[in-house]
Amino acid sequence: MKNPNLNSVLNKEEFDKRDIIYMLSLTDKNEVENLYYRANEVRKEFCGDDVHLRGIIEFSNYCEQDCLYCGLRISNDALPRYRMTKDEILATVEHIHKAKIFTVVLQSGEDFSYTKEFISDLIREIKLNYGLAITLSLGERGFEEYLEWKNAGADRYLLKHESANKKLYSAIHNKQSLDERIKHLVYLKSIGFQVGSGNIIGLPGQTPDDIADDILLCKSLINDMASFSPFIPSNDTPLCNVSKADVQLTLKTMAVARIVLKDAHIPSTTALGSLIEGGREKGLEVGANVVMPNYTPNPYRQNYKIYEGKICVTDDPLACSGCLKFKIESIGRKVGESFGHSLK
Ligand code: SF4
């Protein structure tokens, strides 16, 4: 490495905010490559070569929230809405199980028409019939609901904080508060969920300082999973004219997050694959160790439209895991054959 300062930072055990901003601000091609190389080393040391597949079912695109960046926001009247029935969800779980994927991610907007009891029954049936690990990604729900779902057998909860900057959080979430989001994350962790959070890279007004805080917040929450995904604008939202996230900043953020968070599961997101061709493979090479094949069936999958240009929405969902397995092996990694639970 040419820059002795870079070398000493990359090899530190603990990182402060200044170190993180320094790593995020690298622009020299060789230095950025060194950052990626180090992230890949840390991934290998703490997570091994396995890439864990999580089969995702986006079972409802109704949402009561009005996040400025999201195509699912309640005030987007242009989006055709859908809700999957329990039988449809379970039939999709069956496909995930048959594909030898060990985790199902049940994701929706904040849709309270799916009651506490409905979700609990669903969790119990999936556990009983398929024995899969279950990740819930249902937005901010009640503390009683979280507890009941944990007791029903759910393993993990994904609730991204999106931005650790209080002002920015409030601006993009219709005046809601970051403190409240953090309360939910702390509670979820306290009742035994493996918890995932993370940010959106490229929000208007976001600074490297904010991204450093995002990574440090994931660290302080002892996140088992952390997702750093690029902003891509969605039509019919207030942010429709904002530019997409910068590819290099997205990859640098993932790499820095790996170096700082060490053993957290970090997905290479579908949004990254939508931002740049081969994005998911690239993400796996800069620190990620999780990919989430989309099993949402037709005709619904094209309408889970958080942003424009999402890849694979017209593909046969049953072909997704085979395609991803091929891509994973083509970069010299292997598909995990375990539940891929928290490494903490
Ligand atoms: S980001 Fe989540 S909570 Fe916000 S509008 Fe979209 S689906 Fe709803």
Side-chain angles (χ1 to χ4, degrees):
M1 292 177 194
K2 278 189 294 183
N3 184 339
N5 189 30
L6 173 61
N7 198 9
S8 65
V9 171
L10 290 181
N11 287 294
K12 279 174 128 181
E13 277 300 312
E14 292 296 326
F15 300 85
D16 60 23
K17 189 166 167 180
R18 229 174 31 166
D19 297 327
I20 295 176
I21 293 172
Y22 169 68
M23 290 188 279
L24 288 171
S25 67
L26 296 172
T27 51
D28 176 84
K29 193 168 175 281
N30 290 334
E31 291 184 344
V32 172
E33 283 305 320
N34 286 339
L35 175 77
Y36 295 162
Y37 185 85
R38 180 66 190 139
N40 204 35
E41 276 185 339
V42 175
R43 186 271 308 156
K44 197 172 173 69
E45 180 184 348
F46 287 89
C47 311
D49 280 337
D50 281 3
V51 176
H52 300 290
L53 298 184
R54 324 285 203 202
I56 185 163
I57 308 173
E58 300 152 334
F59 64 87
S60 163
N61 70 351
Y62 280 84
C63 187
E64 295 189 11
Q65 296 299 335
D66 213 17
C67 307
L68 266 57
Y69 52 85
C70 179
L72 270 51
R73 65 200 304 263
I74 191 168
S75 50
N76 182 4
D77 296 330
L79 182 70
R81 303 280 173 169
Y82 69 86
R83 288 189 173 107
M84 287 172 63
T85 64
K86 190 171 171 191
D87 285 348
E88 287 176 313
I89 298 170
L90 287 172
T92 311
V93 173
E94 171 118 17
H95 291 309
I96 291 171
H97 181 248
K98 274 194 183 146
K100 296 195 169 48
I101 292 175
F102 301 99
T103 294
V104 57
V105 182
L106 300 172
Q107 185 169 75
S108 67
E110 279 186 27
D111 184 354
F112 287 82
S113 74
Y114 291 89
T115 62
K116 178 173 75 177
E117 291 74 23
F118 179 98
I119 299 293
S120 298
D121 289 348
L122 186 59
I123 292 165
R124 285 198 189 89
E125 282 201 43
I126 293 172
K127 281 288 176 187
L128 187 69
N129 296 323
Y130 303 102
L132 298 178
I134 299 174
T135 302
L136 301 177
S137 176
L138 313 178
E140 275 185 26
R141 300 283 300 240
F143 284 20
E144 249 184 59
E145 293 181 301
Y146 297 143
L147 186 58
E148 174 144 339
W149 298 337
K150 183 75 193 69
N151 290 336
D155 302 275
R156 309 180 191 134
Y157 206 100
L158 279 184
L159 185 64
K160 288 178 60 165
H161 66 268
E162 316 293 10
S163 174
N165 175 324
K166 286 187 184 191
K167 271 194 185 160
L168 184 55
Y169 183 96
S170 181
I172 58 175
H173 290 111
N174 224 12
K175 302 200 174 78
Q176 290 183 333
S177 99
L178 175 65
D179 291 342
E180 185 62 26
R181 174 67 48 117
I182 290 174
K183 267 189 214 157
H184 284 248
L185 287 162
V186 169
Y187 180 73
L188 286 160
K189 186 93 186 168
S190 76
I191 59 171
F193 273 109
Q194 297 168 46
V195 174
S197 195
N199 78 348
I200 300 175
I201 300 151
L203 290 166
Q206 184 187 54
T207 64
D209 200 87
D210 294 334
I211 296 177
D213 283 337
D214 290 328
I215 295 171
L216 288 169
L217 180 59
C218 289
K219 186 170 166 62
S220 73
L221 291 167
I222 323 176
N223 277 175
D224 303 282
M225 309 165 269
S227 171
F228 302 89
S229 55
F231 170 76
I232 302 176
S234 174
N235 295 341
D236 307 304
T237 64
L239 302 189
C240 62
N241 293 320
V242 173
S243 305
K244 291 175 182 175
D246 178 75
V247 174
Q248 193 179 66
L249 180 61
T250 305
L251 294 172
K252 283 192 296 185
T253 301
M254 292 173 69
V256 175
R258 168 57 69 206
I259 291 167
V260 174
L261 303 177
K262 297 187 172 66
D263 61 356
H265 288 304
I266 297 180
S268 192
T269 62
T270 305
L272 178 57
S274 306
L275 184 68
I276 174 182
E277 199 177 334
R280 282 181 294 190
E281 295 90 310
K282 190 68 198 155
L284 290 171
E285 290 173 325
V286 301
N289 70 324
V290 169
V291 177
M292 296 162 83
N294 182 2
Y295 272 82
T296 310
N298 287 311
Y300 307 126
R301 59 200 267 126
Q302 62 187 315
N303 288 325
Y304 202 85
K305 211 172 179 188
I306 292 178
Y307 53 85
E308 298 304 314
K310 188 175 173 187
I311 49 170
C312 307
V313 289
T314 54
D315 293 353
D316 174 0
L318 303 188
C320 259
S321 64
C323 165
L324 282 171
K325 282 177 185 172
F326 175 76
K327 287 178 176 170
I328 289 163
E329 282 159 13
S330 74
I331 57 166
R333 301 277 284 282
K334 62 187 173 66
V335 174
E337 292 179 350
S338 69
F339 287 116
H341 282 314
S342 172
L343 295 165
K344 293 198 183 300

Short mmCIF file of all heavy atoms in Angstrom, two decimals, residues 270-314:
data_model
loop_
_atom_site.label_atom_id
_atom_site.label_comp_id
_atom_site.label_asym_id
_atom_site.label_seq_id
_atom_site.Cartn_x
_atom_site.Cartn_y
_atom_site.Cartn_z
N THR A 270 -30.56 -6.53 -3.65
CA THR A 270 -31.17 -6.47 -4.98
C THR A 270 -31.06 -5.06 -5.54
O THR A 270 -30.88 -4.86 -6.74
CB THR A 270 -32.66 -6.91 -4.88
OG1 THR A 270 -32.69 -8.19 -4.27
CG2 THR A 270 -33.32 -6.97 -6.25
N ALA A 271 -31.14 -4.07 -4.65
CA ALA A 271 -31.02 -2.68 -5.11
C ALA A 271 -29.63 -2.44 -5.72
O ALA A 271 -29.51 -1.75 -6.74
CB ALA A 271 -31.27 -1.71 -3.95
N LEU A 272 -28.60 -3.05 -5.14
CA LEU A 272 -27.26 -2.89 -5.72
C LEU A 272 -27.20 -3.58 -7.09
O LEU A 272 -26.60 -3.05 -8.03
CB LEU A 272 -26.21 -3.49 -4.76
CG LEU A 272 -24.76 -3.45 -5.23
CD1 LEU A 272 -24.30 -2.03 -5.56
CD2 LEU A 272 -23.83 -4.06 -4.18
N GLY A 273 -27.85 -4.75 -7.18
CA GLY A 273 -27.92 -5.44 -8.48
C GLY A 273 -28.72 -4.65 -9.50
O GLY A 273 -28.53 -4.81 -10.71
N SER A 274 -29.63 -3.81 -9.02
CA SER A 274 -30.44 -2.99 -9.93
C SER A 274 -29.69 -1.71 -10.32
O SER A 274 -29.94 -1.13 -11.38
CB SER A 274 -31.76 -2.60 -9.25
OG SER A 274 -32.43 -3.75 -8.80
N LEU A 275 -28.78 -1.28 -9.44
CA LEU A 275 -28.03 -0.04 -9.69
C LEU A 275 -26.97 -0.27 -10.76
O LEU A 275 -26.71 0.61 -11.58
CB LEU A 275 -27.36 0.40 -8.38
CG LEU A 275 -26.60 1.72 -8.37
CD1 LEU A 275 -27.57 2.89 -8.53
CD2 LEU A 275 -25.82 1.88 -7.06
N ILE A 276 -26.37 -1.46 -10.76
CA ILE A 276 -25.26 -1.72 -11.68
C ILE A 276 -25.27 -3.20 -12.06
O ILE A 276 -25.53 -4.06 -11.19
CB ILE A 276 -23.91 -1.34 -11.01
CG1 ILE A 276 -22.72 -1.74 -11.87
CG2 ILE A 276 -23.75 -1.90 -9.65
CD1 ILE A 276 -21.37 -1.43 -11.24
N GLU A 277 -24.99 -3.49 -13.31
CA GLU A 277 -24.98 -4.89 -13.75
C GLU A 277 -23.90 -5.65 -12.97
O GLU A 277 -22.78 -5.17 -12.80
CB GLU A 277 -24.70 -4.96 -15.25
CG GLU A 277 -25.13 -6.29 -15.79
CD GLU A 277 -24.97 -6.41 -17.29
OE1 GLU A 277 -25.00 -5.36 -17.98
OE2 GLU A 277 -24.80 -7.55 -17.73
N GLY A 278 -24.25 -6.82 -12.49
CA GLY A 278 -23.29 -7.61 -11.70
C GLY A 278 -23.09 -7.05 -10.31
O GLY A 278 -22.15 -7.40 -9.61
N GLY A 279 -23.99 -6.16 -9.88
CA GLY A 279 -23.83 -5.48 -8.59
C GLY A 279 -23.81 -6.44 -7.41
O GLY A 279 -23.06 -6.25 -6.46
N ARG A 280 -24.66 -7.47 -7.46
CA ARG A 280 -24.69 -8.37 -6.30
C ARG A 280 -23.38 -9.14 -6.16
O ARG A 280 -22.89 -9.34 -5.05
CB ARG A 280 -25.90 -9.31 -6.39
CG ARG A 280 -27.18 -8.60 -5.97
CD ARG A 280 -28.38 -9.49 -6.03
NE ARG A 280 -28.67 -9.90 -7.40
CZ ARG A 280 -29.77 -10.53 -7.78
NH1 ARG A 280 -30.68 -10.85 -6.88
NH2 ARG A 280 -29.99 -10.85 -9.04
N GLU A 281 -22.81 -9.54 -7.30
CA GLU A 281 -21.51 -10.24 -7.23
C GLU A 281 -20.45 -9.28 -6.69
O GLU A 281 -19.61 -9.64 -5.87
CB GLU A 281 -21.07 -10.73 -8.62
CG GLU A 281 -21.96 -11.80 -9.22
CD GLU A 281 -23.09 -11.23 -10.07
OE1 GLU A 281 -23.80 -10.32 -9.58
OE2 GLU A 281 -23.28 -11.68 -11.19
N LYS A 282 -20.49 -8.04 -7.18
CA LYS A 282 -19.50 -7.04 -6.72
C LYS A 282 -19.63 -6.84 -5.21
O LYS A 282 -18.64 -6.74 -4.49
CB LYS A 282 -19.73 -5.72 -7.49
CG LYS A 282 -18.65 -4.71 -7.30
CD LYS A 282 -17.33 -5.11 -7.94
CE LYS A 282 -16.18 -4.31 -7.37
NZ LYS A 282 -14.88 -4.96 -7.47
N GLY A 283 -20.87 -6.76 -4.74
CA GLY A 283 -21.11 -6.58 -3.30
C GLY A 283 -20.50 -7.73 -2.49
O GLY A 283 -19.94 -7.52 -1.42
N LEU A 284 -20.62 -8.94 -3.04
CA LEU A 284 -20.05 -10.10 -2.34
C LEU A 284 -18.53 -10.02 -2.29
O LEU A 284 -17.90 -10.61 -1.41
CB LEU A 284 -20.47 -11.41 -3.03
CG LEU A 284 -21.95 -11.78 -2.89
CD1 LEU A 284 -22.29 -12.97 -3.79
CD2 LEU A 284 -22.32 -12.09 -1.45
N GLU A 285 -17.96 -9.30 -3.23
CA GLU A 285 -16.49 -9.19 -3.26
C GLU A 285 -15.96 -8.04 -2.39
O GLU A 285 -14.76 -7.90 -2.23
CB GLU A 285 -16.02 -9.03 -4.71
CG GLU A 285 -16.22 -10.33 -5.49
CD GLU A 285 -15.94 -10.18 -6.98
OE1 GLU A 285 -16.24 -9.11 -7.55
OE2 GLU A 285 -15.44 -11.15 -7.56
N VAL A 286 -16.87 -7.23 -1.85
CA VAL A 286 -16.40 -6.13 -0.98
C VAL A 286 -16.95 -6.28 0.44
O VAL A 286 -17.12 -5.31 1.15
CB VAL A 286 -16.74 -4.74 -1.56
CG1 VAL A 286 -16.12 -4.56 -2.93
CG2 VAL A 286 -18.24 -4.50 -1.62
N GLY A 287 -17.24 -7.52 0.83
CA GLY A 287 -17.60 -7.74 2.23
C GLY A 287 -18.92 -8.40 2.50
O GLY A 287 -19.16 -8.89 3.61
N ALA A 288 -19.83 -8.46 1.52
CA ALA A 288 -21.15 -9.04 1.80
C ALA A 288 -21.08 -10.56 1.85
O ALA A 288 -20.19 -11.18 1.26
CB ALA A 288 -22.15 -8.60 0.73
N ASN A 289 -22.05 -11.16 2.58
CA ASN A 289 -22.08 -12.62 2.69
C ASN A 289 -23.50 -13.19 2.66
O ASN A 289 -23.71 -14.34 3.04
CB ASN A 289 -21.37 -13.09 3.97
CG ASN A 289 -22.15 -12.72 5.22
OD1 ASN A 289 -22.78 -11.65 5.28
ND2 ASN A 289 -22.14 -13.57 6.23
N VAL A 290 -24.45 -12.36 2.22
CA VAL A 290 -25.86 -12.79 2.16
C VAL A 290 -26.46 -12.29 0.86
O VAL A 290 -26.15 -11.17 0.42
CB VAL A 290 -26.66 -12.19 3.36
CG1 VAL A 290 -28.16 -12.38 3.18
CG2 VAL A 290 -26.21 -12.80 4.68
N VAL A 291 -27.33 -13.13 0.25
CA VAL A 291 -28.11 -12.69 -0.91
C VAL A 291 -29.56 -13.15 -0.69
O VAL A 291 -29.79 -14.20 -0.10
CB VAL A 291 -27.55 -13.28 -2.22
CG1 VAL A 291 -28.42 -12.88 -3.40
CG2 VAL A 291 -26.13 -12.80 -2.48
N MET A 292 -30.49 -12.35 -1.17
CA MET A 292 -31.90 -12.65 -0.91
C MET A 292 -32.68 -12.87 -2.20
O MET A 292 -33.25 -11.92 -2.75
CB MET A 292 -32.51 -11.50 -0.09
CG MET A 292 -31.85 -11.38 1.28
SD MET A 292 -32.10 -9.82 2.08
CE MET A 292 -33.69 -10.08 2.81
N PRO A 293 -32.73 -14.13 -2.70
CA PRO A 293 -33.52 -14.38 -3.91
C PRO A 293 -35.00 -14.07 -3.67
O PRO A 293 -35.54 -14.40 -2.62
CB PRO A 293 -33.30 -15.87 -4.19
CG PRO A 293 -32.69 -16.44 -2.97
CD PRO A 293 -32.06 -15.33 -2.20
N ASN A 294 -35.58 -13.44 -4.66
CA ASN A 294 -36.97 -12.98 -4.54
C ASN A 294 -37.94 -14.06 -5.00
O ASN A 294 -38.01 -14.38 -6.18
CB ASN A 294 -37.13 -11.70 -5.38
CG ASN A 294 -38.52 -11.12 -5.26
OD1 ASN A 294 -39.37 -11.64 -4.52
ND2 ASN A 294 -38.78 -10.04 -5.99
N TYR A 295 -38.69 -14.61 -4.06
CA TYR A 295 -39.67 -15.66 -4.38
C TYR A 295 -41.09 -15.13 -4.51
O TYR A 295 -42.03 -15.90 -4.68
CB TYR A 295 -39.61 -16.77 -3.32
CG TYR A 295 -38.58 -17.82 -3.68
CD1 TYR A 295 -37.23 -17.62 -3.40
CD2 TYR A 295 -38.94 -18.97 -4.37
CE1 TYR A 295 -36.28 -18.55 -3.76
CE2 TYR A 295 -37.99 -19.90 -4.74
CZ TYR A 295 -36.67 -19.69 -4.44
OH TYR A 295 -35.73 -20.61 -4.82
N THR A 296 -41.27 -13.83 -4.39
CA THR A 296 -42.63 -13.28 -4.53
C THR A 296 -43.19 -13.73 -5.88
O THR A 296 -42.58 -13.51 -6.92
CB THR A 296 -42.59 -11.73 -4.49
OG1 THR A 296 -41.83 -11.34 -3.35
CG2 THR A 296 -43.99 -11.15 -4.43
N PRO A 297 -44.35 -14.38 -5.85
CA PRO A 297 -44.85 -14.94 -7.12
C PRO A 297 -45.42 -13.87 -8.04
O PRO A 297 -45.77 -12.77 -7.62
CB PRO A 297 -45.97 -15.90 -6.66
CG PRO A 297 -46.40 -15.40 -5.32
CD PRO A 297 -45.22 -14.71 -4.70
N ASN A 298 -45.52 -14.27 -9.32
CA ASN A 298 -46.28 -13.46 -10.27
C ASN A 298 -47.75 -13.63 -9.93
O ASN A 298 -48.15 -14.68 -9.45
CB ASN A 298 -45.99 -13.95 -11.70
CG ASN A 298 -44.60 -13.53 -12.13
OD1 ASN A 298 -44.23 -12.38 -11.99
ND2 ASN A 298 -43.82 -14.47 -12.64
N PRO A 299 -48.62 -12.66 -10.15
CA PRO A 299 -48.34 -11.37 -10.78
C PRO A 299 -47.91 -10.29 -9.80
O PRO A 299 -47.81 -9.13 -10.16
CB PRO A 299 -49.71 -11.01 -11.39
CG PRO A 299 -50.68 -11.55 -10.38
CD PRO A 299 -50.06 -12.80 -9.81
N TYR A 300 -47.66 -10.67 -8.54
CA TYR A 300 -47.45 -9.64 -7.52
C TYR A 300 -46.08 -8.97 -7.60
O TYR A 300 -45.93 -7.79 -7.30
CB TYR A 300 -47.62 -10.24 -6.12
CG TYR A 300 -48.93 -10.97 -5.92
CD1 TYR A 300 -48.96 -12.28 -5.47
CD2 TYR A 300 -50.14 -10.34 -6.18
CE1 TYR A 300 -50.15 -12.96 -5.27
CE2 TYR A 300 -51.34 -11.01 -5.99
CZ TYR A 300 -51.34 -12.32 -5.54
OH TYR A 300 -52.52 -12.97 -5.37
N ARG A 301 -45.06 -9.77 -7.95
CA ARG A 301 -43.68 -9.29 -7.72
C ARG A 301 -43.36 -7.96 -8.39
O ARG A 301 -42.58 -7.17 -7.86
CB ARG A 301 -42.64 -10.36 -8.06
CG ARG A 301 -42.66 -10.87 -9.45
CD ARG A 301 -41.95 -12.23 -9.54
NE ARG A 301 -40.53 -12.17 -9.87
CZ ARG A 301 -39.59 -12.73 -9.13
NH1 ARG A 301 -39.88 -13.36 -8.02
NH2 ARG A 301 -38.33 -12.68 -9.50
N GLN A 302 -43.97 -7.69 -9.55
CA GLN A 302 -43.65 -6.43 -10.23
C GLN A 302 -44.24 -5.22 -9.49
O GLN A 302 -43.86 -4.08 -9.77
CB GLN A 302 -44.13 -6.46 -11.67
CG GLN A 302 -45.62 -6.61 -11.79
CD GLN A 302 -46.02 -6.80 -13.23
OE1 GLN A 302 -45.54 -6.10 -14.10
NE2 GLN A 302 -46.89 -7.76 -13.48
N ASN A 303 -45.16 -5.46 -8.58
CA ASN A 303 -45.78 -4.34 -7.87
C ASN A 303 -45.22 -4.10 -6.47
O ASN A 303 -45.72 -3.25 -5.74
CB ASN A 303 -47.30 -4.53 -7.81
CG ASN A 303 -47.91 -4.30 -9.18
OD1 ASN A 303 -47.44 -3.45 -9.93
ND2 ASN A 303 -48.92 -5.08 -9.53
N TYR A 304 -44.19 -4.85 -6.09
CA TYR A 304 -43.49 -4.49 -4.84
C TYR A 304 -42.38 -3.53 -5.27
O TYR A 304 -41.21 -3.86 -5.37
CB TYR A 304 -42.92 -5.73 -4.14
CG TYR A 304 -42.67 -5.48 -2.67
CD1 TYR A 304 -43.70 -5.63 -1.75
CD2 TYR A 304 -41.44 -5.03 -2.22
CE1 TYR A 304 -43.49 -5.36 -0.40
CE2 TYR A 304 -41.23 -4.77 -0.88
CZ TYR A 304 -42.26 -4.93 0.02
OH TYR A 304 -42.05 -4.66 1.36
N LYS A 305 -42.83 -2.32 -5.55
CA LYS A 305 -42.00 -1.39 -6.30
C LYS A 305 -41.52 -0.25 -5.41
O LYS A 305 -42.03 0.87 -5.50
CB LYS A 305 -42.88 -0.84 -7.43
CG LYS A 305 -42.17 -0.49 -8.68
CD LYS A 305 -43.21 -0.16 -9.73
CE LYS A 305 -42.59 0.25 -11.02
NZ LYS A 305 -43.61 0.75 -11.94
N ILE A 306 -40.55 -0.56 -4.56
CA ILE A 306 -40.01 0.49 -3.68
C ILE A 306 -39.26 1.52 -4.51
O ILE A 306 -39.27 2.71 -4.23
CB ILE A 306 -39.09 -0.16 -2.62
CG1 ILE A 306 -39.95 -1.01 -1.68
CG2 ILE A 306 -38.31 0.88 -1.84
CD1 ILE A 306 -39.19 -1.76 -0.62
N TYR A 307 -38.60 1.05 -5.60
CA TYR A 307 -37.86 1.94 -6.49
C TYR A 307 -38.04 1.44 -7.92
O TYR A 307 -38.52 0.31 -8.14
CB TYR A 307 -36.37 1.97 -6.10
CG TYR A 307 -35.74 0.60 -6.02
CD1 TYR A 307 -35.22 -0.03 -7.15
CD2 TYR A 307 -35.68 -0.11 -4.81
CE1 TYR A 307 -34.66 -1.30 -7.08
CE2 TYR A 307 -35.13 -1.38 -4.73
CZ TYR A 307 -34.63 -1.97 -5.87
OH TYR A 307 -34.10 -3.23 -5.81
N GLU A 308 -37.62 2.26 -8.89
CA GLU A 308 -37.77 1.86 -10.30
C GLU A 308 -36.62 0.96 -10.73
O GLU A 308 -35.51 1.04 -10.19
CB GLU A 308 -37.75 3.11 -11.21
CG GLU A 308 -38.86 4.09 -10.97
CD GLU A 308 -40.25 3.50 -11.07
OE1 GLU A 308 -40.52 2.76 -12.03
OE2 GLU A 308 -41.06 3.78 -10.17
N GLY A 309 -36.91 0.14 -11.73
CA GLY A 309 -35.84 -0.63 -12.38
C GLY A 309 -35.34 -1.80 -11.57
O GLY A 309 -34.20 -2.25 -11.74
N LYS A 310 -36.18 -2.33 -10.66
CA LYS A 310 -35.76 -3.48 -9.86
C LYS A 310 -35.54 -4.68 -10.76
O LYS A 310 -36.39 -5.00 -11.60
CB LYS A 310 -36.86 -3.76 -8.83
CG LYS A 310 -36.53 -4.79 -7.78
CD LYS A 310 -37.72 -4.82 -6.81
CE LYS A 310 -37.62 -5.90 -5.78
NZ LYS A 310 -38.85 -5.97 -4.99
N ILE A 311 -34.41 -5.33 -10.58
CA ILE A 311 -34.09 -6.47 -11.46
C ILE A 311 -34.97 -7.67 -11.14
O ILE A 311 -35.49 -7.80 -10.04
CB ILE A 311 -32.60 -6.90 -11.36
CG1 ILE A 311 -32.18 -7.05 -9.89
CG2 ILE A 311 -31.70 -5.99 -12.13
CD1 ILE A 311 -30.82 -7.70 -9.73
N CYS A 312 -35.09 -8.52 -12.12
CA CYS A 312 -35.71 -9.85 -11.99
C CYS A 312 -37.22 -9.86 -11.80
O CYS A 312 -37.79 -10.93 -11.59
CB CYS A 312 -35.10 -10.66 -10.83
SG CYS A 312 -33.31 -10.78 -10.89
N VAL A 313 -37.88 -8.70 -11.86
CA VAL A 313 -39.32 -8.72 -11.54
C VAL A 313 -40.15 -9.44 -12.60
O VAL A 313 -41.26 -9.87 -12.33
CB VAL A 313 -39.91 -7.30 -11.30
CG1 VAL A 313 -39.42 -6.73 -10.01
CG2 VAL A 313 -39.64 -6.38 -12.46
N THR A 314 -39.61 -9.58 -13.82
CA THR A 314 -40.39 -10.28 -14.84
C THR A 314 -39.93 -11.75 -14.96
O THR A 314 -40.45 -12.50 -15.77
CB THR A 314 -40.26 -9.59 -16.22
OG1 THR A 314 -38.87 -9.48 -16.51
CG2 THR A 314 -40.89 -8.22 -16.22
#
